[in-house]
Amino acid sequence: MDESKPLKVRLTFSVILVGVSLLFAAVVTDHWAVLSPKVEEYNTTCEAAHFGLWRLCTKRIFMQEKGPKEKGCGPISLPGEHNCSYFKHFTPGQSSEIFEVTTQKEYSISAAAIAIFSVGFAIVGTICVLLSFRKKRDYLLKPASMFYTFAGLCIIISVEVMRQSVKRMIDSKDTAWIEYSYSWSFACACASFVLLFICGIALLLIALPRFPQNPWETCMDAEPEH
């Protein structure tokens, strides 16, 4: 038996927990993308927005005159009146007309649903790893590794759906947005994909039985017949 295997499992699991934390941070926050309209007049307020999987937040920012190449509203970090609302298709009765008009709600629902699957896979994988720490339960590491790999794949699919949503929003003639940028929630989702996918595969390789280094090693390890 490889004596270093428990140490490898714990180190890999530590990195996976970082990926799971980034996954949760991406799913529950609303800084996936920042949208900015064209500013026609200065010394007045404009409305920038940022959104995530569940809600849209707008901020009224007082704009002073910028350089000739800067036509958008922002940056979003400037002080201003802040207002957030959940998307109407998640909470009937609350309004988020900007989002409903400028993109298709199917994109938002799909991205959120796939992200929920990712969170579910990550939770189940973590339970399997914790149970495997008990004696004679190393067999749980294999399904755990697959759950983490699936979690990584799901979150990167959600990222791509969100990216297409933002692109369609900007390209739409019905929208006032002319500029966009991806923010830290988007970065957390991408980082969680890298950690979960790579460490999921690494955990699977660790969980697989060690191949014999010598042709006679398997015979020597066999139990004697009675």
Side-chain angles (χ1 to χ4, degrees):
M1 179 180 179
D2 187 0
E3 296 180 356
S4 64
K5 181 176 178 179
L7 178 60
K8 293 177 181 178
V9 171
R10 282 172 168 77
L11 289 177
T12 306
F13 184 54
S14 299
V15 179
I16 286 175
L17 288 180
V18 176
V20 173
S21 300
L22 292 172
L23 173 63
F24 276 98
V27 170
V28 302
T29 54
D30 44 39
H31 286 265
W32 283 62
V34 177
L35 306 173
S36 175
K38 184 176 181 180
V39 177
E40 301 288 351
E41 299 179 1
Y42 293 99
N43 296 323
T44 184
T45 58
C46 62
E47 191 173 67
H50 63 85
F51 69 94
L53 296 173
W54 314 105
R55 66 177 186 170
L56 173 80
C57 296
T58 58
K59 179 183 280 189
R60 292 189 176 274
I61 302 172
F62 182 79
M63 292 300 300
Q64 297 179 347
E65 189 171 357
K66 290 185 175 183
K69 294 184 179 180
E70 297 178 338
K71 299 180 181 180
C73 178
I76 197 74
S77 57
L78 292 174
E81 181 183 350
H82 199 254
N83 181 42
C84 294
S85 61
Y86 288 91
F87 296 139
K88 187 185 297 184
H89 42 269
F90 292 131
T91 55
Q94 292 200 32
S95 60
S96 56
E97 289 84 359
I98 298 175
F99 190 86
E100 295 294 335
V101 170
T102 56
T103 191
Q104 302 165 349
K105 73 176 184 179
E106 289 80 8
Y107 277 89
S108 174
I109 295 174
S110 298
I114 297 170
I116 288 297
F117 276 109
S118 179
V119 171
F121 284 136
I123 291 174
V124 176
T126 302
I127 293 173
C128 289
V129 172
L130 293 176
L131 291 176
S132 73
F133 288 155
R134 297 185 178 183
K135 292 182 179 180
K136 298 182 180 180
R137 291 193 176 180
D138 288 348
Y139 60 88
L140 290 174
L141 292 176
K142 294 177 185 178
S145 65
M146 299 306 298
F147 284 129
Y148 285 130
T149 304
F150 292 152
L153 291 175
C154 284
I155 194 61
I156 199 62
I157 293 173
S158 182
V159 164
E160 178 60 23
V161 172
M162 181 65 73
R163 195 182 69 82
Q164 292 296 328
S165 173
V166 173
K167 188 176 183 300
R168 283 178 174 267
M169 196 182 306
I170 296 297
D171 294 341
S172 174
K173 296 181 180 180
D174 298 326
T175 178
W177 315 115
I178 62 166
E179 293 181 358
Y180 72 94
S181 62
Y182 298 110
S183 193
W184 57 269
S185 298
F186 188 89
C188 286
C190 294
S192 69
F193 158 70
V194 174
L195 294 179
L196 291 174
F197 186 79
I198 293 178
C199 291
I201 294 176
L203 188 63
L204 177 62
L205 295 176
I206 294 171
L208 291 175
R210 186 174 65 91
F211 291 102
Q213 297 178 353
N214 300 311
W216 57 84
E217 187 174 346
T218 304
C219 297
M220 293 176 63
D221 292 340
E223 296 182 0
E225 297 182 359
H226 296 286

